[in-house]
Amino acid sequence: MNAFARSSAVMALFLSCCVASPDHAEEARGQPQNEASLRKLVAEQTEAWNRHDAAAWSKDFAPDAEFINIVGTVFSGREEIEKRHAAVFASVFKESRTEVTVRKIRLVPPNVAVVDTDHVVTGYTGLPPGVQATEPGVLRTRMRYVVKQTDGTWSIVAGQNTDMKPMPAPPSQPVPAPTGH
């Protein structure tokens, strides 16, 4: 292969890697806006939790969404999700506060996202059966949402909340055997 052919091939490869198709360019431009919209959804949901407002907390779930709560119970549909959260906001979580950090947003073109968050819940008066505090007075959970965009609006279609277990106690040190002196 002569030098001209080789440099032409290299240039063609370079251009094919660097120049995005119009579809990919449009997706890339929309990513920051989509991430901002998803972060806003999480922030509004956090504020709703801290107000103990089940209707506002549930508003971004699709009408037919499914949510798996911290103990593995499946709630089907926005109405049931709202009803069950109203019950916990009126009982064990009525004085609770949460801080939520978005750990990762993965956009799956063209209109789906997976949103992973970490929650730190304090001020609760009790915990559901089988759930233990991660540390004294603190419940840490990980939430994963699958979110779908339709006509410019993001809706949660599936969610799962998992509690982070407390760290196990360090193993006890074995007592050294007595020496025969």
PDB file of all heavy atoms in Angstrom, residues 117-147:
ATOM      1  N   THR A 117     -29.658   5.417  43.188  1.00  0.00           N
ATOM      2  CA  THR A 117     -29.483   6.417  44.238  1.00  0.00           C
ATOM      3  C   THR A 117     -29.150   5.751  45.566  1.00  0.00           C
ATOM      4  O   THR A 117     -29.483   4.585  45.797  1.00  0.00           O
ATOM      5  CB  THR A 117     -30.753   7.277  44.414  1.00  0.00           C
ATOM      6  OG1 THR A 117     -31.853   6.423  44.737  1.00  0.00           O
ATOM      7  CG2 THR A 117     -31.069   8.077  43.173  1.00  0.00           C
ATOM      8  N   ASP A 118     -28.489   6.507  46.419  1.00  0.00           N
ATOM      9  CA  ASP A 118     -28.218   6.103  47.792  1.00  0.00           C
ATOM     10  C   ASP A 118     -29.040   6.999  48.704  1.00  0.00           C
ATOM     11  O   ASP A 118     -29.066   8.228  48.524  1.00  0.00           O
ATOM     12  CB  ASP A 118     -26.739   6.259  48.127  1.00  0.00           C
ATOM     13  CG  ASP A 118     -25.856   5.280  47.362  1.00  0.00           C
ATOM     14  OD1 ASP A 118     -26.347   4.196  46.992  1.00  0.00           O
ATOM     15  OD2 ASP A 118     -24.674   5.594  47.150  1.00  0.00           O
ATOM     16  N   HIS A 119     -29.708   6.373  49.690  1.00  0.00           N
ATOM     17  CA  HIS A 119     -30.572   7.092  50.627  1.00  0.00           C
ATOM     18  C   HIS A 119     -30.026   6.940  52.040  1.00  0.00           C
ATOM     19  O   HIS A 119     -29.607   5.845  52.424  1.00  0.00           O
ATOM     20  CB  HIS A 119     -31.998   6.523  50.595  1.00  0.00           C
ATOM     21  CG  HIS A 119     -32.683   6.730  49.285  1.00  0.00           C
ATOM     22  ND1 HIS A 119     -33.855   7.415  49.170  1.00  0.00           N
ATOM     23  CD2 HIS A 119     -32.357   6.353  48.027  1.00  0.00           C
ATOM     24  CE1 HIS A 119     -34.228   7.451  47.903  1.00  0.00           C
ATOM     25  NE2 HIS A 119     -33.333   6.806  47.188  1.00  0.00           N
ATOM     26  N   VAL A 120     -30.072   8.022  52.792  1.00  0.00           N
ATOM     27  CA  VAL A 120     -29.729   8.001  54.212  1.00  0.00           C
ATOM     28  C   VAL A 120     -30.964   8.509  54.941  1.00  0.00           C
ATOM     29  O   VAL A 120     -31.346   9.675  54.808  1.00  0.00           O
ATOM     30  CB  VAL A 120     -28.510   8.902  54.519  1.00  0.00           C
ATOM     31  CG1 VAL A 120     -28.214   8.906  56.017  1.00  0.00           C
ATOM     32  CG2 VAL A 120     -27.292   8.455  53.714  1.00  0.00           C
ATOM     33  N   VAL A 121     -31.619   7.616  55.700  1.00  0.00           N
ATOM     34  CA  VAL A 121     -32.863   7.949  56.380  1.00  0.00           C
ATOM     35  C   VAL A 121     -32.585   8.021  57.878  1.00  0.00           C
ATOM     36  O   VAL A 121     -31.997   7.103  58.455  1.00  0.00           O
ATOM     37  CB  VAL A 121     -33.959   6.903  56.091  1.00  0.00           C
ATOM     38  CG1 VAL A 121     -35.274   7.277  56.770  1.00  0.00           C
ATOM     39  CG2 VAL A 121     -34.160   6.742  54.582  1.00  0.00           C
ATOM     40  N   THR A 122     -33.018   9.114  58.490  1.00  0.00           N
ATOM     41  CA  THR A 122     -32.872   9.305  59.932  1.00  0.00           C
ATOM     42  C   THR A 122     -34.221   9.746  60.501  1.00  0.00           C
ATOM     43  O   THR A 122     -35.144  10.069  59.754  1.00  0.00           O
ATOM     44  CB  THR A 122     -31.808  10.383  60.234  1.00  0.00           C
ATOM     45  OG1 THR A 122     -32.186  11.606  59.578  1.00  0.00           O
ATOM     46  CG2 THR A 122     -30.420   9.963  59.757  1.00  0.00           C
ATOM     47  N   GLY A 123     -34.338   9.746  61.824  1.00  0.00           N
ATOM     48  CA  GLY A 123     -35.540  10.259  62.477  1.00  0.00           C
ATOM     49  C   GLY A 123     -36.726   9.322  62.440  1.00  0.00           C
ATOM     50  O   GLY A 123     -37.835   9.714  62.764  1.00  0.00           O
ATOM     51  N   TYR A 124     -36.533   8.080  62.071  1.00  0.00           N
ATOM     52  CA  TYR A 124     -37.634   7.126  62.038  1.00  0.00           C
ATOM     53  C   TYR A 124     -37.927   6.641  63.454  1.00  0.00           C
ATOM     54  O   TYR A 124     -37.060   6.678  64.329  1.00  0.00           O
ATOM     55  CB  TYR A 124     -37.331   5.952  61.099  1.00  0.00           C
ATOM     56  CG  TYR A 124     -35.972   5.323  61.335  1.00  0.00           C
ATOM     57  CD1 TYR A 124     -35.801   4.351  62.311  1.00  0.00           C
ATOM     58  CD2 TYR A 124     -34.864   5.714  60.583  1.00  0.00           C
ATOM     59  CE1 TYR A 124     -34.563   3.781  62.539  1.00  0.00           C
ATOM     60  CE2 TYR A 124     -33.628   5.153  60.811  1.00  0.00           C
ATOM     61  CZ  TYR A 124     -33.470   4.196  61.785  1.00  0.00           C
ATOM     62  OH  TYR A 124     -32.240   3.639  62.018  1.00  0.00           O
ATOM     63  N   THR A 125     -39.157   6.183  63.669  1.00  0.00           N
ATOM     64  CA  THR A 125     -39.551   5.697  64.995  1.00  0.00           C
ATOM     65  C   THR A 125     -39.538   4.176  65.070  1.00  0.00           C
ATOM     66  O   THR A 125     -39.739   3.612  66.142  1.00  0.00           O
ATOM     67  CB  THR A 125     -40.947   6.215  65.381  1.00  0.00           C
ATOM     68  OG1 THR A 125     -41.883   5.797  64.384  1.00  0.00           O
ATOM     69  CG2 THR A 125     -40.945   7.739  65.490  1.00  0.00           C
ATOM     70  N   GLY A 126     -39.332   3.523  63.980  1.00  0.00           N
ATOM     71  CA  GLY A 126     -39.261   2.071  63.911  1.00  0.00           C
ATOM     72  C   GLY A 126     -38.918   1.686  62.489  1.00  0.00           C
ATOM     73  O   GLY A 126     -38.862   2.545  61.616  1.00  0.00           O
ATOM     74  N   LEU A 127     -38.672   0.403  62.280  1.00  0.00           N
ATOM     75  CA  LEU A 127     -38.359  -0.092  60.947  1.00  0.00           C
ATOM     76  C   LEU A 127     -39.243  -1.290  60.646  1.00  0.00           C
ATOM     77  O   LEU A 127     -39.668  -1.991  61.572  1.00  0.00           O
ATOM     78  CB  LEU A 127     -36.880  -0.481  60.858  1.00  0.00           C
ATOM     79  CG  LEU A 127     -35.896   0.689  60.953  1.00  0.00           C
ATOM     80  CD1 LEU A 127     -34.463   0.178  61.064  1.00  0.00           C
ATOM     81  CD2 LEU A 127     -36.033   1.611  59.758  1.00  0.00           C
ATOM     82  N   PRO A 128     -39.506  -1.536  59.372  1.00  0.00           N
ATOM     83  CA  PRO A 128     -40.320  -2.698  59.004  1.00  0.00           C
ATOM     84  C   PRO A 128     -39.669  -3.990  59.509  1.00  0.00           C
ATOM     85  O   PRO A 128     -38.451  -4.055  59.671  1.00  0.00           O
ATOM     86  CB  PRO A 128     -40.343  -2.652  57.473  1.00  0.00           C
ATOM     87  CG  PRO A 128     -40.034  -1.236  57.127  1.00  0.00           C
ATOM     88  CD  PRO A 128     -39.120  -0.741  58.201  1.00  0.00           C
ATOM     89  N   PRO A 129     -40.468  -5.026  59.730  1.00  0.00           N
ATOM     90  CA  PRO A 129     -39.913  -6.299  60.187  1.00  0.00           C
ATOM     91  C   PRO A 129     -38.815  -6.800  59.251  1.00  0.00           C
ATOM     92  O   PRO A 129     -38.957  -6.760  58.032  1.00  0.00           O
ATOM     93  CB  PRO A 129     -41.121  -7.246  60.158  1.00  0.00           C
ATOM     94  CG  PRO A 129     -42.311  -6.347  60.231  1.00  0.00           C
ATOM     95  CD  PRO A 129     -41.912  -5.077  59.555  1.00  0.00           C
ATOM     96  N   GLY A 130     -37.707  -7.222  59.843  1.00  0.00           N
ATOM     97  CA  GLY A 130     -36.589  -7.751  59.067  1.00  0.00           C
ATOM     98  C   GLY A 130     -35.587  -6.704  58.625  1.00  0.00           C
ATOM     99  O   GLY A 130     -34.516  -7.037  58.141  1.00  0.00           O
ATOM    100  N   VAL A 131     -35.906  -5.431  58.793  1.00  0.00           N
ATOM    101  CA  VAL A 131     -34.989  -4.361  58.393  1.00  0.00           C
ATOM    102  C   VAL A 131     -34.268  -3.888  59.646  1.00  0.00           C
ATOM    103  O   VAL A 131     -34.880  -3.665  60.687  1.00  0.00           O
ATOM    104  CB  VAL A 131     -35.755  -3.184  57.737  1.00  0.00           C
ATOM    105  CG1 VAL A 131     -34.817  -2.036  57.416  1.00  0.00           C
ATOM    106  CG2 VAL A 131     -36.465  -3.670  56.481  1.00  0.00           C
ATOM    107  N   GLN A 132     -32.956  -3.747  59.547  1.00  0.00           N
ATOM    108  CA  GLN A 132     -32.180  -3.256  60.679  1.00  0.00           C
ATOM    109  C   GLN A 132     -31.471  -1.966  60.290  1.00  0.00           C
ATOM    110  O   GLN A 132     -31.137  -1.778  59.119  1.00  0.00           O
ATOM    111  CB  GLN A 132     -31.131  -4.249  61.149  1.00  0.00           C
ATOM    112  CG  GLN A 132     -31.081  -5.554  60.484  1.00  0.00           C
ATOM    113  CD  GLN A 132     -29.910  -6.400  60.975  1.00  0.00           C
ATOM    114  OE1 GLN A 132     -29.479  -6.316  62.090  1.00  0.00           O
ATOM    115  NE2 GLN A 132     -29.408  -7.227  60.112  1.00  0.00           N
ATOM    116  N   ALA A 133     -31.242  -1.142  61.282  1.00  0.00           N
ATOM    117  CA  ALA A 133     -30.491   0.086  61.034  1.00  0.00           C
ATOM    118  C   ALA A 133     -29.104  -0.285  60.525  1.00  0.00           C
ATOM    119  O   ALA A 133     -28.506  -1.273  60.966  1.00  0.00           O
ATOM    120  CB  ALA A 133     -30.388   0.906  62.313  1.00  0.00           C
ATOM    121  N   THR A 134     -28.590   0.504  59.604  1.00  0.00           N
ATOM    122  CA  THR A 134     -27.255   0.271  59.069  1.00  0.00           C
ATOM    123  C   THR A 134     -26.211   0.632  60.113  1.00  0.00           C
ATOM    124  O   THR A 134     -25.173   0.001  60.220  1.00  0.00           O
ATOM    125  CB  THR A 134     -27.046   1.099  57.786  1.00  0.00           C
ATOM    126  OG1 THR A 134     -28.178   0.904  56.931  1.00  0.00           O
ATOM    127  CG2 THR A 134     -25.796   0.690  57.055  1.00  0.00           C
ATOM    128  N   GLU A 135     -26.528   1.652  60.870  1.00  0.00           N
ATOM    129  CA  GLU A 135     -25.735   2.078  62.026  1.00  0.00           C
ATOM    130  C   GLU A 135     -26.735   2.728  62.975  1.00  0.00           C
ATOM    131  O   GLU A 135     -27.863   3.010  62.563  1.00  0.00           O
ATOM    132  CB  GLU A 135     -24.616   3.020  61.599  1.00  0.00           C
ATOM    133  CG  GLU A 135     -25.094   4.225  60.821  1.00  0.00           C
ATOM    134  CD  GLU A 135     -24.018   4.904  60.014  1.00  0.00           C
ATOM    135  OE1 GLU A 135     -23.525   4.301  59.049  1.00  0.00           O
ATOM    136  OE2 GLU A 135     -23.669   6.038  60.372  1.00  0.00           O
ATOM    137  N   PRO A 136     -26.388   2.945  64.228  1.00  0.00           N
ATOM    138  CA  PRO A 136     -27.387   3.471  65.167  1.00  0.00           C
ATOM    139  C   PRO A 136     -28.086   4.738  64.649  1.00  0.00           C
ATOM    140  O   PRO A 136     -27.436   5.725  64.307  1.00  0.00           O
ATOM    141  CB  PRO A 136     -26.571   3.757  66.429  1.00  0.00           C
ATOM    142  CG  PRO A 136     -25.424   2.786  66.349  1.00  0.00           C
ATOM    143  CD  PRO A 136     -25.099   2.694  64.872  1.00  0.00           C
ATOM    144  N   GLY A 137     -29.414   4.665  64.524  1.00  0.00           N
ATOM    145  CA  GLY A 137     -30.219   5.801  64.099  1.00  0.00           C
ATOM    146  C   GLY A 137     -30.177   6.122  62.619  1.00  0.00           C
ATOM    147  O   GLY A 137     -30.747   7.122  62.188  1.00  0.00           O
ATOM    148  N   VAL A 138     -29.510   5.300  61.827  1.00  0.00           N
ATOM    149  CA  VAL A 138     -29.359   5.578  60.394  1.00  0.00           C
ATOM    150  C   VAL A 138     -29.726   4.331  59.592  1.00  0.00           C
ATOM    151  O   VAL A 138     -29.188   3.246  59.832  1.00  0.00           O
ATOM    152  CB  VAL A 138     -27.914   6.003  60.048  1.00  0.00           C
ATOM    153  CG1 VAL A 138     -27.755   6.216  58.543  1.00  0.00           C
ATOM    154  CG2 VAL A 138     -27.515   7.256  60.810  1.00  0.00           C
ATOM    155  N   LEU A 139     -30.617   4.512  58.629  1.00  0.00           N
ATOM    156  CA  LEU A 139     -30.956   3.460  57.678  1.00  0.00           C
ATOM    157  C   LEU A 139     -30.444   3.919  56.320  1.00  0.00           C
ATOM    158  O   LEU A 139     -30.811   4.991  55.838  1.00  0.00           O
ATOM    159  CB  LEU A 139     -32.475   3.254  57.616  1.00  0.00           C
ATOM    160  CG  LEU A 139     -32.974   2.298  56.533  1.00  0.00           C
ATOM    161  CD1 LEU A 139     -32.453   0.875  56.780  1.00  0.00           C
ATOM    162  CD2 LEU A 139     -34.495   2.324  56.463  1.00  0.00           C
ATOM    163  N   ARG A 140     -29.590   3.112  55.733  1.00  0.00           N
ATOM    164  CA  ARG A 140     -29.072   3.406  54.397  1.00  0.00           C
ATOM    165  C   ARG A 140     -29.705   2.412  53.432  1.00  0.00           C
ATOM    166  O   ARG A 140     -29.762   1.223  53.723  1.00  0.00           O
ATOM    167  CB  ARG A 140     -27.553   3.295  54.347  1.00  0.00           C
ATOM    168  CG  ARG A 140     -26.860   4.331  55.194  1.00  0.00           C
ATOM    169  CD  ARG A 140     -25.333   4.176  55.123  1.00  0.00           C
ATOM    170  NE  ARG A 140     -24.687   5.031  56.088  1.00  0.00           N
ATOM    171  CZ  ARG A 140     -24.383   6.308  55.897  1.00  0.00           C
ATOM    172  NH1 ARG A 140     -24.674   6.867  54.733  1.00  0.00           N
ATOM    173  NH2 ARG A 140     -23.808   7.022  56.828  1.00  0.00           N
ATOM    174  N   THR A 141     -30.178   2.939  52.301  1.00  0.00           N
ATOM    175  CA  THR A 141     -30.757   2.071  51.282  1.00  0.00           C
ATOM    176  C   THR A 141     -30.224   2.457  49.913  1.00  0.00           C
ATOM    177  O   THR A 141     -29.692   3.561  49.725  1.00  0.00           O
ATOM    178  CB  THR A 141     -32.305   2.133  51.253  1.00  0.00           C
ATOM    179  OG1 THR A 141     -32.727   3.380  50.712  1.00  0.00           O
ATOM    180  CG2 THR A 141     -32.903   1.927  52.629  1.00  0.00           C
ATOM    181  N   ARG A 142     -30.395   1.537  48.987  1.00  0.00           N
ATOM    182  CA  ARG A 142     -30.071   1.791  47.585  1.00  0.00           C
ATOM    183  C   ARG A 142     -31.357   1.623  46.793  1.00  0.00           C
ATOM    184  O   ARG A 142     -32.059   0.622  46.941  1.00  0.00           O
ATOM    185  CB  ARG A 142     -29.024   0.800  47.080  1.00  0.00           C
ATOM    186  CG  ARG A 142     -27.695   1.010  47.784  1.00  0.00           C
ATOM    187  CD  ARG A 142     -26.573   1.047  46.789  1.00  0.00           C
ATOM    188  NE  ARG A 142     -25.413   1.678  47.367  1.00  0.00           N
ATOM    189  CZ  ARG A 142     -24.273   1.055  47.590  1.00  0.00           C
ATOM    190  NH1 ARG A 142     -24.131  -0.208  47.271  1.00  0.00           N
ATOM    191  NH2 ARG A 142     -23.253   1.722  48.081  1.00  0.00           N
ATOM    192  N   MET A 143     -31.659   2.618  45.991  1.00  0.00           N
ATOM    193  CA  MET A 143     -32.871   2.606  45.174  1.00  0.00           C
ATOM    194  C   MET A 143     -32.441   2.546  43.706  1.00  0.00           C
ATOM    195  O   MET A 143     -31.505   3.243  43.301  1.00  0.00           O
ATOM    196  CB  MET A 143     -33.672   3.882  45.414  1.00  0.00           C
ATOM    197  CG  MET A 143     -35.001   3.928  44.714  1.00  0.00           C
ATOM    198  SD  MET A 143     -36.327   3.179  45.657  1.00  0.00           S
ATOM    199  CE  MET A 143     -36.552   4.397  46.946  1.00  0.00           C
ATOM    200  N   ARG A 144     -33.142   1.719  42.941  1.00  0.00           N
ATOM    201  CA  ARG A 144     -32.924   1.677  41.496  1.00  0.00           C
ATOM    202  C   ARG A 144     -34.266   1.889  40.821  1.00  0.00           C
ATOM    203  O   ARG A 144     -35.248   1.214  41.138  1.00  0.00           O
ATOM    204  CB  ARG A 144     -32.339   0.348  41.056  1.00  0.00           C
ATOM    205  CG  ARG A 144     -32.286   0.227  39.511  1.00  0.00           C
ATOM    206  CD  ARG A 144     -31.482  -0.920  39.043  1.00  0.00           C
ATOM    207  NE  ARG A 144     -30.065  -0.538  39.158  1.00  0.00           N
ATOM    208  CZ  ARG A 144     -29.064  -1.389  38.992  1.00  0.00           C
ATOM    209  NH1 ARG A 144     -29.308  -2.647  38.733  1.00  0.00           N
ATOM    210  NH2 ARG A 144     -27.822  -0.975  39.094  1.00  0.00           N
ATOM    211  N   TYR A 145     -34.288   2.839  39.909  1.00  0.00           N
ATOM    212  CA  TYR A 145     -35.479   3.118  39.108  1.00  0.00           C
ATOM    213  C   TYR A 145     -35.175   2.846  37.643  1.00  0.00           C
ATOM    214  O   TYR A 145     -34.094   3.180  37.152  1.00  0.00           O
ATOM    215  CB  TYR A 145     -35.896   4.582  39.217  1.00  0.00           C
ATOM    216  CG  TYR A 145     -36.548   4.983  40.512  1.00  0.00           C
ATOM    217  CD1 TYR A 145     -36.305   6.229  41.066  1.00  0.00           C
ATOM    218  CD2 TYR A 145     -37.426   4.137  41.173  1.00  0.00           C
ATOM    219  CE1 TYR A 145     -36.914   6.621  42.238  1.00  0.00           C
ATOM    220  CE2 TYR A 145     -38.030   4.516  42.347  1.00  0.00           C
ATOM    221  CZ  TYR A 145     -37.771   5.765  42.879  1.00  0.00           C
ATOM    222  OH  TYR A 145     -38.380   6.141  44.052  1.00  0.00           O
ATOM    223  N   VAL A 146     -36.149   2.302  36.951  1.00  0.00           N
ATOM    224  CA  VAL A 146     -36.149   2.271  35.492  1.00  0.00           C
ATOM    225  C   VAL A 146     -37.173   3.327  35.100  1.00  0.00           C
ATOM    226  O   VAL A 146     -38.324   3.285  35.541  1.00  0.00           O
ATOM    227  CB  VAL A 146     -36.545   0.886  34.945  1.00  0.00           C
ATOM    228  CG1 VAL A 146     -36.627   0.919  33.417  1.00  0.00           C
ATOM    229  CG2 VAL A 146     -35.558  -0.181  35.429  1.00  0.00           C
ATOM    230  N   VAL A 147     -36.714   4.291  34.313  1.00  0.00           N
ATOM    231  CA  VAL A 147     -37.525   5.462  33.995  1.00  0.00           C
ATOM    232  C   VAL A 147     -37.663   5.548  32.479  1.00  0.00           C
ATOM    233  O   VAL A 147     -36.699   5.324  31.738  1.00  0.00           O
ATOM    234  CB  VAL A 147     -36.854   6.738  34.549  1.00  0.00           C
ATOM    235  CG1 VAL A 147     -37.781   7.931  34.462  1.00  0.00           C
ATOM    236  CG2 VAL A 147     -36.403   6.543  35.998  1.00  0.00           C
TER     237      VAL A 147
END
